[in-house]
Amino acid sequence: MLISATFAAEAEAAYSDIDWALDISAAETTELSIRDVPSSLVRRDASTQAVVRAENISSDWEAIDFEDTWFRAAVHSVARGETHESILVTPMRSKNASAFLRVLGRLRDAGIADPD
């Protein structure tokens, strides 16, 4: 826990003087996982990407139809407190991209994923 707290403090200090750290707005991937970069410093494409924050997850989140996407695992990780937020990135090069987009819409409709 000490290493994690130390890393978090150092990361916060390192990011304090920059406008953005990572630009994924044009990313076309089959899968993408971002860790330890504050979502506020990640440029995103709102039509295919969103942020899930712990404070937005309601107790009935599991009732959402996640179809055959890994977005359930990402939301579950936040709901369990394993991380305080997760950036969801639709894998636009996947044959199932449309399913991910539908789920992203459901998460936004439920107030779980940020609307931006």
Side-chain angles (χ1 to χ4, degrees), residues 24-78:
I24 62 167
S25 60
E28 291 187 14
T29 67
T30 54
E31 185 175 350
L32 178 64
S33 177
I34 300 169
R35 294 187 188 349
D36 302 320
V37 177
S39 66
S40 61
L41 297 178
V42 178
R43 291 184 176 176
R44 298 178 310 275
D45 174 3
S47 67
T48 62
Q49 302 162 357
V51 177
V52 172
R53 292 183 173 81
E55 61 268 18
N56 296 337
I57 298 179
S58 58
S59 60
D60 62 345
W61 72 268
E62 291 181 279
I64 292 173
D65 180 4
F66 284 87
E67 299 188 41
D68 190 21
T69 71
W70 62 76
F71 285 172
R72 174 184 296 280
V75 174
H76 186 247
S77 177
V78 177

